[in-house]
Amino acid sequence: MDVSIEDLIGSDHVTLDLQASDAEGAVKELAALLDEQGRLNDREGYVQAVLDREQETGGTGMESGVAIPHARSAAVAEPSLAFGRSSDGISFGADDGTPSDIVFLIAAPEGENQLHVQVLSKLARKLIHDDFRTALREAGSADEVVEILEREVEL
């Protein structure tokens, strides 16, 4: 399946003001964005799959203030990516305790192993660069976030 970043995320999958104060709330908030666009078959089922995975792995937070919760699930209708930014930061279990102010939620349908891994690895490779994270932190609109991703992340 040939997919580009443009197929996964649009400005309606982006919030620059996550209201959640914990990882579960952030996952639910971002999953709601995907569900509103018809990309999930079962929002609760998908959220539970992500939370189960977070529990199994100890969390997807990285020391750079980024978290990438994700899951493959039959509850996903269409491969998707959501983005949220938190002014306070949210604990996603980073080894050093750093709260995540940038959160990407990856939703992959059951059986889409390669896409899931590809999106995760391409994002992670870009997120090690300070300038990429800074651009996401300073983006003034959802459209700007999507433009940064389209320009910087090639699947």
Coordinates of all heavy atoms in Angstrom, one line a residue, residues 12-109:
D12 N -7.6 18.8 10.1 CA -8.6 18.5 11.0 C -8.2 17.3 12.0 O -9.0 16.9 12.8 CB -9.9 18.1 10.3 CG -9.6 17.2 9.1 OD1 -8.5 16.7 8.9 OD2 -10.6 17.0 8.3
H13 N -7.0 16.9 11.8 CA -6.4 15.9 12.8 C -5.4 16.5 13.7 O -4.6 15.8 14.3 CB -5.7 14.8 12.0 CG -6.5 14.0 11.0 ND1 -5.9 13.2 10.0 CD2 -7.8 14.0 10.7 CE1 -6.8 12.7 9.3 NE2 -8.0 13.2 9.7
V14 N -5.4 17.8 13.8 CA -4.4 18.5 14.6 C -5.1 19.4 15.6 O -6.1 20.1 15.3 CB -3.5 19.4 13.6 CG1 -2.6 20.3 14.4 CG2 -2.8 18.6 12.6
T15 N -4.6 19.4 16.8 CA -5.0 20.4 17.9 C -3.7 21.0 18.5 O -2.8 20.3 18.8 CB -5.8 19.8 19.0 OG1 -6.2 20.8 19.9 CG2 -5.2 18.6 19.7
L16 N -3.7 22.3 18.5 CA -2.5 23.0 19.1 C -2.7 23.3 20.6 O -1.9 23.9 21.2 CB -2.3 24.3 18.3 CG -2.0 24.1 16.8 CD1 -1.7 25.5 16.2 CD2 -0.8 23.2 16.6
D17 N -3.8 22.8 21.1 CA -4.2 23.1 22.5 C -4.8 21.9 23.2 O -6.0 21.9 23.5 CB -5.1 24.3 22.6 CG -5.3 24.8 24.0 OD1 -4.5 24.5 24.9 OD2 -6.4 25.4 24.2
L18 N -4.0 20.8 23.4 CA -4.6 19.6 24.0 C -5.0 20.0 25.4 O -4.3 20.7 26.2 CB -3.5 18.5 24.2 CG -3.3 17.6 23.0 CD1 -2.0 16.7 23.3 CD2 -4.5 16.7 22.8
Q19 N -6.2 19.6 25.8 CA -6.8 19.9 27.1 C -6.5 18.9 28.1 O -6.5 19.2 29.3 CB -8.3 20.1 26.9 CG -8.8 21.2 26.0 CD -8.3 22.6 26.5 OE1 -8.6 23.0 27.6 NE2 -7.5 23.2 25.7
A20 N -6.1 17.7 27.7 CA -5.9 16.6 28.5 C -4.7 16.9 29.5 O -3.7 17.6 29.1 CB -5.6 15.3 27.7
S21 N -4.7 16.3 30.7 CA -3.6 16.4 31.6 C -2.9 15.1 31.8 O -1.9 15.1 32.6 CB -4.2 17.0 32.9 OG -5.2 16.1 33.5
D22 N -3.4 14.0 31.2 CA -2.7 12.7 31.3 C -2.8 12.0 30.0 O -3.4 12.4 29.0 CB -3.4 11.9 32.4 CG -4.8 11.5 32.2 OD1 -5.3 11.7 31.1 OD2 -5.5 11.1 33.1
A23 N -2.0 10.9 29.9 CA -1.8 10.2 28.7 C -3.2 9.7 28.2 O -3.5 9.8 27.0 CB -0.8 9.1 28.8
E24 N -3.9 9.1 29.0 CA -5.2 8.5 28.6 C -6.1 9.6 28.0 O -6.7 9.4 26.9 CB -5.9 7.9 29.8 CG -7.3 7.3 29.4 CD -8.0 6.5 30.5 OE1 -7.3 6.2 31.5 OE2 -9.2 6.2 30.4
G25 N -6.2 10.8 28.6 CA -7.0 11.9 28.1 C -6.5 12.4 26.8 O -7.3 12.7 25.9
A26 N -5.2 12.4 26.6 CA -4.6 12.9 25.3 C -4.9 11.9 24.2 O -5.3 12.3 23.1 CB -3.1 13.0 25.5
V27 N -4.8 10.6 24.5 CA -5.2 9.6 23.5 C -6.6 9.7 23.1 O -7.0 9.7 21.9 CB -4.8 8.2 24.0 CG1 -5.4 7.1 23.1 CG2 -3.3 8.0 24.1
K28 N -7.5 9.9 24.1 CA -8.9 10.0 23.8 C -9.2 11.3 23.0 O -10.0 11.2 22.1 CB -9.7 10.0 25.1 CG -9.8 8.7 25.8 CD -10.6 8.8 27.1 CE -10.8 7.5 27.8 NZ -11.5 7.6 29.1
E29 N -8.6 12.3 23.3 CA -8.8 13.6 22.6 C -8.3 13.5 21.2 O -9.0 14.0 20.3 CB -8.0 14.7 23.4 CG -8.5 16.1 23.1 CD -7.8 17.1 24.0 OE1 -7.5 16.8 25.2 OE2 -7.6 18.3 23.5
L30 N -7.2 12.9 21.0 CA -6.7 12.8 19.6 C -7.5 11.8 18.8 O -7.7 11.9 17.6 CB -5.2 12.4 19.6 CG -4.3 13.6 20.1 CD1 -2.8 13.1 20.2 CD2 -4.3 14.8 19.2
A31 N -7.9 10.7 19.5 CA -8.7 9.7 18.8 C -10.1 10.3 18.4 O -10.6 9.9 17.3 CB -8.9 8.5 19.7
A32 N -10.6 11.2 19.2 CA -11.8 11.9 18.8 C -11.7 12.6 17.5 O -12.6 12.7 16.7 CB -12.3 12.8 19.9
L33 N -10.5 13.3 17.3 CA -10.3 14.0 16.0 C -10.4 13.0 14.8 O -11.0 13.3 13.8 CB -8.9 14.7 16.0 CG -8.7 15.8 17.0 CD1 -7.3 16.3 17.0 CD2 -9.7 16.9 16.8
L34 N -9.8 11.9 15.0 CA -9.8 10.9 13.9 C -11.2 10.3 13.7 O -11.7 10.1 12.6 CB -8.8 9.7 14.2 CG -7.3 10.1 14.3 CD1 -6.5 8.9 14.7 CD2 -6.9 10.8 13.1
D35 N -11.9 10.1 14.8 CA -13.3 9.5 14.7 C -14.2 10.5 14.1 O -15.0 10.1 13.2 CB -13.7 9.2 16.2 CG -15.0 8.3 16.2 OD1 -15.1 7.4 15.3 OD2 -15.9 8.6 17.0
E36 N -14.1 11.8 14.3 CA -14.9 12.8 13.7 C -14.7 12.8 12.2 O -15.6 13.3 11.5 CB -14.6 14.2 14.3 CG -15.1 14.3 15.7 CD -14.5 15.5 16.4 OE1 -13.8 16.4 15.8 OE2 -14.7 15.6 17.7
Q37 N -13.6 12.4 11.7 CA -13.3 12.4 10.3 C -13.6 11.0 9.7 O -13.3 10.7 8.5 CB -11.9 12.7 10.0 CG -11.5 14.1 10.5 CD -12.4 15.2 10.0 OE1 -12.7 15.2 8.8 NE2 -12.9 16.0 10.9
G38 N -14.3 10.1 10.4 CA -14.6 8.8 9.9 C -13.5 7.8 9.8 O -13.6 6.8 9.0
R39 N -12.4 8.0 10.4 CA -11.2 7.2 10.3 C -11.2 6.0 11.3 O -10.3 5.2 11.2 CB -10.0 8.0 10.4 CG -9.9 9.0 9.2 CD -8.6 9.7 9.2 NE -8.4 10.4 7.9 CZ -7.5 10.1 7.0 NH1 -6.7 9.1 7.2 NH2 -7.4 10.8 5.9
L40 N -12.1 6.0 12.2 CA -12.2 4.9 13.2 C -13.5 4.2 13.0 O -14.5 4.9 12.8 CB -12.0 5.4 14.6 CG -10.7 6.1 14.9 CD1 -10.7 6.6 16.4 CD2 -9.4 5.2 14.6
N41 N -13.5 2.9 13.2 CA -14.8 2.1 13.2 C -15.3 2.1 14.7 O -16.5 1.9 14.8 CB -14.5 0.7 12.8 CG -14.0 0.5 11.4 OD1 -14.5 1.3 10.5 ND2 -13.1 -0.3 11.2
D42 N -14.5 2.1 15.6 CA -14.8 2.0 17.0 C -13.8 2.8 17.9 O -12.7 2.3 18.2 CB -14.8 0.5 17.3 CG -15.0 0.1 18.8 OD1 -15.2 1.1 19.6 OD2 -14.8 -1.0 19.2
R43 N -14.2 4.0 18.2 CA -13.3 4.8 19.0 C -12.9 4.2 20.3 O -11.7 4.2 20.6 CB -13.9 6.2 19.2 CG -13.0 7.1 19.9 CD -13.5 8.5 20.4 NE -14.6 9.0 19.7 CZ -15.1 10.2 20.0 NH1 -14.5 11.0 20.9 NH2 -16.2 10.7 19.4
E44 N -13.8 3.7 21.1 CA -13.4 3.1 22.4 C -12.5 1.9 22.2 O -11.6 1.8 23.0 CB -14.7 2.7 23.2 CG -15.5 3.9 23.7 CD -16.3 4.6 22.7 OE1 -16.8 3.9 21.7 OE2 -16.6 5.8 22.9
G45 N -12.8 1.1 21.2 CA -11.9 -0.1 20.9 C -10.5 0.4 20.6 O -9.5 -0.2 21.0
Y46 N -10.4 1.4 19.7 CA -9.1 1.9 19.4 C -8.3 2.5 20.6 O -7.2 2.2 20.8 CB -9.1 2.9 18.2 CG -7.8 3.5 17.9 CD1 -6.8 2.7 17.4 CD2 -7.5 4.8 18.2 CE1 -5.5 3.3 17.2 CE2 -6.3 5.4 18.0 CZ -5.3 4.6 17.5 OH -4.0 5.1 17.3
V47 N -9.0 3.3 21.3 CA -8.4 3.9 22.5 C -7.9 2.9 23.4 O -6.8 2.9 23.9 CB -9.4 4.9 23.2 CG1 -8.9 5.3 24.6 CG2 -9.6 6.2 22.3
Q48 N -8.7 1.8 23.6 CA -8.3 0.8 24.5 C -7.0 0.0 24.0 O -6.1 -0.3 24.8 CB -9.4 -0.2 24.8 CG -9.2 -1.2 25.9 CD -8.9 -0.4 27.2 OE1 -9.7 0.4 27.7 NE2 -7.8 -0.7 27.9
A49 N -7.0 -0.2 22.7 CA -5.8 -0.8 22.1 C -4.5 0.0 22.3 O -3.5 -0.5 22.7 CB -6.0 -1.0 20.6
V50 N -4.7 1.3 22.2 CA -3.5 2.2 22.4 C -3.1 2.2 23.9 O -1.9 2.1 24.2 CB -3.8 3.7 22.0 CG1 -2.7 4.6 22.4 CG2 -4.1 3.7 20.5
L51 N -4.1 2.3 24.8 CA -3.8 2.3 26.2 C -3.2 1.0 26.7 O -2.3 1.0 27.5 CB -5.1 2.7 27.0 CG -5.6 4.1 26.8 CD1 -6.9 4.3 27.6 CD2 -4.6 5.1 27.1
D52 N -3.7 -0.1 26.1 CA -3.1 -1.4 26.5 C -1.6 -1.5 26.0 O -0.8 -1.9 26.8 CB -3.9 -2.6 25.8 CG -5.3 -2.8 26.4 OD1 -5.6 -2.2 27.5 OD2 -6.0 -3.5 25.7
R53 N -1.4 -0.9 24.9 CA 0.0 -0.9 24.4 C 0.9 0.0 25.2 O 2.0 -0.3 25.5 CB 0.0 -0.4 22.9 CG 1.3 -0.7 22.3 CD 1.3 -0.6 20.8 NE 2.6 -1.1 20.2 CZ 3.8 -0.6 20.5 NH1 3.9 0.3 21.5 NH2 4.8 -1.1 20.0
E54 N 0.4 1.1 25.6 CA 1.1 2.0 26.5 C 1.5 1.3 27.8 O 2.6 1.4 28.3 CB 0.3 3.3 26.8 CG 0.2 4.3 25.7 CD 1.5 5.1 25.4 OE1 2.0 5.7 26.4 OE2 1.9 5.0 24.3
Q55 N 0.5 0.6 28.3 CA 0.7 -0.2 29.6 C 1.8 -1.2 29.4 O 2.7 -1.4 30.2 CB -0.6 -0.8 30.0 CG -0.6 -1.5 31.3 CD -0.6 -0.6 32.5 OE1 -1.2 0.4 32.4 NE2 0.0 -1.0 33.6
E56 N 1.7 -2.0 28.3 CA 2.7 -3.0 28.0 C 4.1 -2.5 27.9 O 5.1 -3.2 28.3 CB 2.3 -3.8 26.7 CG 1.1 -4.7 26.8 CD 0.7 -5.1 25.4 OE1 1.5 -5.1 24.5 OE2 -0.5 -5.5 25.3
T57 N 4.3 -1.4 27.2 CA 5.6 -0.9 26.9 C 6.1 0.1 28.0 O 7.3 0.5 27.9 CB 5.6 -0.1 25.6 OG1 4.7 1.0 25.7 CG2 5.1 -1.0 24.4
G58 N 5.3 0.5 28.9 CA 5.8 1.5 29.9 C 5.6 2.9 29.4 O 6.1 3.8 30.1
G59 N 5.1 3.1 28.2 CA 4.8 4.4 27.7 C 5.7 4.7 26.5 O 6.7 4.2 26.3
T60 N 5.2 5.7 25.7 CA 5.9 6.0 24.4 C 6.5 7.4 24.5 O 6.9 8.0 23.5 CB 4.9 5.9 23.2 OG1 3.8 6.8 23.5 CG2 4.5 4.5 23.0
G61 N 6.7 7.9 25.7 CA 7.3 9.2 25.8 C 8.8 9.1 25.6 O 9.5 8.2 25.9
M62 N 9.4 10.2 24.9 CA 10.8 10.3 24.7 C 11.4 11.5 25.5 O 10.7 12.4 25.8 CB 11.1 10.4 23.2 CG 10.6 9.3 22.4 SD 11.1 9.4 20.6 CE 9.6 10.2 19.9
E63 N 12.7 11.4 25.7 CA 13.3 12.5 26.5 C 13.2 13.9 25.8 O 13.4 14.9 26.5 CB 14.8 12.1 26.7 CG 14.9 10.9 27.6 CD 16.3 10.4 27.8 OE1 17.2 11.0 27.3 OE2 16.4 9.3 28.5
S64 N 12.9 13.9 24.6 CA 12.8 15.2 23.9 C 11.5 15.9 24.0 O 11.2 16.9 23.4 CB 13.1 15.0 22.4 OG 12.3 14.0 21.8
G65 N 10.6 15.3 24.9 CA 9.3 16.0 25.0 C 8.3 15.6 24.0 O 7.3 16.3 23.7
V66 N 8.5 14.4 23.4 CA 7.6 13.9 22.4 C 7.1 12.5 22.8 O 7.8 11.7 23.4 CB 8.4 13.7 21.0 CG1 7.5 13.1 19.9 CG2 8.9 15.1 20.6
A67 N 5.8 12.2 22.4 CA 5.3 10.9 22.6 C 4.6 10.5 21.3 O 4.0 11.3 20.6 CB 4.3 10.9 23.8
I68 N 4.7 9.2 21.1 CA 4.0 8.6 19.9 C 3.2 7.4 20.2 O 3.6 6.3 19.9 CB 5.1 8.3 18.8 CG1 6.1 9.4 18.5 CG2 4.3 8.0 17.5 CD1 7.2 9.1 17.5
P69 N 2.1 7.6 20.9 CA 1.2 6.4 21.2 C 0.7 5.9 19.9 O 0.4 6.7 18.9 CB 0.1 7.0 22.1 CG 0.2 8.5 21.8 CD 1.6 8.8 21.5
H70 N 0.5 4.6 19.8 CA 0.1 4.0 18.6 C -0.5 2.6 18.8 O -0.2 2.0 19.8 CB 1.2 3.9 17.6 CG 2.4 3.3 18.1 ND1 3.3 3.9 18.9 CD2 2.9 2.0 17.9 CE1 4.3 3.1 19.2 NE2 4.1 1.9 18.6
A71 N -1.3 2.1 17.8 CA -1.8 0.8 17.9 C -2.3 0.4 16.5 O -2.8 1.2 15.7 CB -2.9 0.6 18.9
R72 N -2.2 -0.9 16.2 CA -2.9 -1.5 15.1 C -4.1 -2.1 15.7 O -4.1 -2.8 16.7 CB -2.0 -2.6 14.5 CG -0.9 -2.2 13.6 CD -0.3 -3.3 12.8 NE -0.1 -4.5 13.7 CZ 1.0 -4.7 14.4 NH1 2.0 -3.9 14.3 NH2 1.2 -5.8 15.1
S73 N -5.2 -1.9 15.0 CA -6.5 -2.4 15.5 C -7.6 -2.5 14.4 O -7.6 -1.7 13.5 CB -7.0 -1.4 16.6 OG -8.3 -1.7 17.0
A74 N -8.4 -3.5 14.6 CA -9.6 -3.6 13.7 C -10.5 -2.4 13.9 O -11.4 -2.2 13.0 CB -10.3 -4.9 14.0
A75 N -10.3 -1.6 14.9 CA -11.2 -0.5 15.2 C -10.8 0.7 14.3 O -11.5 1.7 14.2 CB -11.1 0.0 16.6
V76 N -9.7 0.6 13.5 CA -9.2 1.6 12.6 C -9.8 1.4 11.2 O -9.5 0.3 10.6 CB -7.7 1.7 12.6 CG1 -7.2 2.8 11.6 CG2 -7.2 2.0 14.0
A77 N -10.5 2.4 10.6 CA -11.0 2.2 9.3 C -10.0 2.6 8.2 O -10.0 2.1 7.1 CB -12.3 3.1 9.2
E78 N -9.2 3.6 8.6 CA -8.3 4.2 7.6 C -7.0 4.6 8.3 O -7.0 5.2 9.3 CB -8.9 5.4 7.0 CG -8.3 5.9 5.7 CD -9.1 7.1 5.1 OE1 -10.4 7.2 5.4 OE2 -8.5 7.9 4.4
P79 N -5.8 4.2 7.7 CA -4.5 4.6 8.4 C -4.5 6.1 8.6 O -4.9 6.9 7.7 CB -3.5 4.2 7.4 CG -4.1 3.3 6.4 CD -5.6 3.6 6.4
S80 N -4.1 6.5 9.8 CA -4.2 7.9 10.2 C -3.1 8.3 11.2 O -2.6 7.5 11.9 CB -5.6 8.2 10.8 OG -6.6 7.9 9.9
L81 N -2.9 9.6 11.2 CA -2.0 10.3 12.1 C -2.7 11.5 12.7 O -3.3 12.3 11.9 CB -0.7 10.6 11.4 CG 0.4 11.3 12.2 CD1 1.0 10.3 13.2 CD2 1.5 11.7 11.2
A82 N -2.6 11.7 14.0 CA -3.2 12.9 14.7 C -2.0 13.5 15.4 O -1.1 12.8 15.8 CB -4.3 12.5 15.6
F83 N -2.1 14.8 15.6 CA -1.0 15.6 16.3 C -1.7 16.5 17.3 O -2.7 17.1 17.0 CB -0.3 16.5 15.2 CG 0.7 17.4 15.9 CD1 2.0 17.1 16.1 CD2 0.3 18.7 16.2 CE1 2.9 18.0 16.6 CE2 1.2 19.6 16.8 CZ 2.5 19.2 17.0
G84 N -1.1 16.5 18.5 CA -1.5 17.4 19.5 C -0.3 18.1 20.2 O 0.7 17.5 20.3
R85 N -0.6 19.3 20.6 CA 0.5 20.0 21.4 C -0.1 20.4 22.7 O -1.3 20.9 22.8 CB 0.9 21.3 20.6 CG 2.2 21.8 20.9 CD 2.7 22.8 19.9 NE 1.8 24.0 19.8 CZ 1.8 24.9 18.8 NH1 2.7 24.7 17.8 NH2 1.0 25.9 18.8
S86 N 0.6 20.3 23.8 CA 0.2 20.5 25.1 C 1.0 21.6 25.7 O 2.3 21.6 25.7 CB 0.3 19.3 26.0 OG 0.1 19.6 27.3
S87 N 0.4 22.7 26.3 CA 1.2 23.7 26.9 C 1.8 23.3 28.2 O 2.9 23.8 28.6 CB 0.3 25.0 27.1 OG -0.8 24.6 27.9
D88 N 1.2 22.4 28.9 CA 1.8 21.9 30.2 C 2.6 20.7 30.1 O 3.4 20.4 31.0 CB 0.6 21.7 31.2 CG -0.2 22.9 31.5 OD1 0.4 24.0 31.5 OD2 -1.4 22.8 31.8
G89 N 2.5 19.9 29.0 CA 3.2 18.6 28.9 C 2.4 17.6 29.6 O 1.7 17.8 30.6
I90 N 2.5 16.3 29.1 CA 1.8 15.2 29.6 C 2.8 14.0 29.8 O 3.6 13.8 29.0 CB 0.7 14.8 28.6 CG1 -0.3 15.9 28.4 CG2 0.0 13.5 29.0 CD1 -1.2 15.8 27.2
S91 N 2.7 13.3 30.9 CA 3.5 12.2 31.2 C 3.1 11.0 30.3 O 2.0 10.5 30.4 CB 3.5 11.8 32.6 OG 4.3 10.6 32.8
F92 N 4.1 10.6 29.5 CA 3.9 9.3 28.7 C 5.0 8.3 29.0 O 5.4 7.5 28.2 CB 3.9 9.7 27.2 CG 2.6 10.0 26.6 CD1 2.2 11.3 26.6 CD2 1.8 9.1 26.0 CE1 0.9 11.7 26.0 CE2 0.5 9.4 25.5 CZ 0.1 10.7 25.5
G93 N 5.6 8.5 30.2 CA 6.5 7.5 30.7 C 7.9 7.6 30.1 O 8.6 6.6 30.0
A94 N 8.4 8.8 29.8 CA 9.8 9.0 29.3 C 10.7 8.5 30.4 O 10.4 8.7 31.6 CB 10.0 10.4 28.9
D95 N 11.8 7.9 30.0 CA 12.8 7.4 31.0 C 13.2 8.4 32.0 O 13.5 8.1 33.1 CB 14.0 6.8 30.2 CG 13.6 5.5 29.5 OD1 12.6 4.8 29.8 OD2 14.4 5.1 28.6
D96 N 13.4 9.6 31.5 CA 13.9 10.7 32.4 C 12.8 11.5 33.0 O 13.0 12.5 33.7 CB 14.9 11.6 31.7 CG 14.2 12.4 30.6 OD1 13.0 12.2 30.3 OD2 14.8 13.4 30.1
G97 N 11.5 11.1 32.8 CA 10.4 11.8 33.4 C 10.0 13.0 32.7 O 9.1 13.8 33.1
T98 N 10.6 13.3 31.5 CA 10.2 14.5 30.7 C 8.8 14.4 30.3 O 8.4 13.5 29.6 CB 11.2 14.7 29.5 OG1 12.5 14.7 29.9 CG2 10.8 15.9 28.7
P99 N 8.0 15.5 30.6 CA 6.6 15.5 30.0 C 6.6 15.7 28.5 O 7.5 16.4 28.0 CB 5.9 16.6 30.8 CG 7.0 17.4 31.3 CD 8.2 16.6 31.4
S100 N 5.7 15.2 27.8 CA 5.6 15.4 26.4 C 4.7 16.5 26.0 O 3.5 16.5 26.4 CB 5.1 14.1 25.7 OG 5.9 13.0 26.0
D101 N 5.2 17.5 25.3 CA 4.3 18.6 24.8 C 3.9 18.4 23.4 O 3.0 19.1 22.9 CB 5.0 20.0 25.0 CG 6.3 20.1 24.2 OD1 7.0 19.1 24.0 OD2 6.7 21.3 23.9
I102 N 4.6 17.5 22.7 CA 4.2 17.1 21.3 C 3.8 15.6 21.4 O 4.5 14.8 21.8 CB 5.4 17.2 20.4 CG1 5.8 18.7 20.2 CG2 5.1 16.6 19.0 CD1 7.1 18.9 19.4
V103 N 2.6 15.4 20.8 CA 2.0 14.0 20.8 C 1.5 13.7 19.5 O 0.7 14.4 18.9 CB 0.9 13.9 21.9 CG1 0.4 12.4 21.9 CG2 1.3 14.3 23.3
F104 N 2.0 12.6 18.9 CA 1.5 12.0 17.7 C 0.8 10.7 18.0 O 1.3 9.9 18.8 CB 2.7 11.7 16.7 CG 3.3 12.8 16.0 CD1 4.5 13.4 16.5 CD2 2.8 13.4 14.9 CE1 5.1 14.4 15.9 CE2 3.4 14.4 14.3 CZ 4.6 15.0 14.8
L105 N -0.4 10.6 17.4 CA -1.2 9.3 17.6 C -1.2 8.6 16.2 O -1.7 9.2 15.3 CB -2.6 9.7 18.1 CG -3.5 8.5 18.3 CD1 -3.0 7.6 19.5 CD2 -4.9 9.0 18.6
I106 N -0.7 7.4 16.2 CA -0.7 6.7 14.9 C -1.8 5.6 15.0 O -1.8 4.8 16.0 CB 0.6 6.0 14.6 CG1 1.8 7.0 14.6 CG2 0.6 5.2 13.3 CD1 3.2 6.4 14.5
A107 N -2.7 5.6 14.0 CA -3.8 4.6 13.9 C -3.6 3.8 12.7 O -3.6 4.3 11.6 CB -5.1 5.3 13.9
A108 N -3.4 2.5 12.8 CA -3.2 1.6 11.7 C -4.2 0.5 11.8 O -4.4 -0.1 12.9 CB -1.8 1.0 11.7
P109 N -4.8 0.1 10.6 CA -5.7 -1.0 10.6 C -5.0 -2.3 10.9 O -3.8 -2.4 10.7 CB -6.3 -1.0 9.2 CG -6.0 0.3 8.6 CD -4.7 0.8 9.3

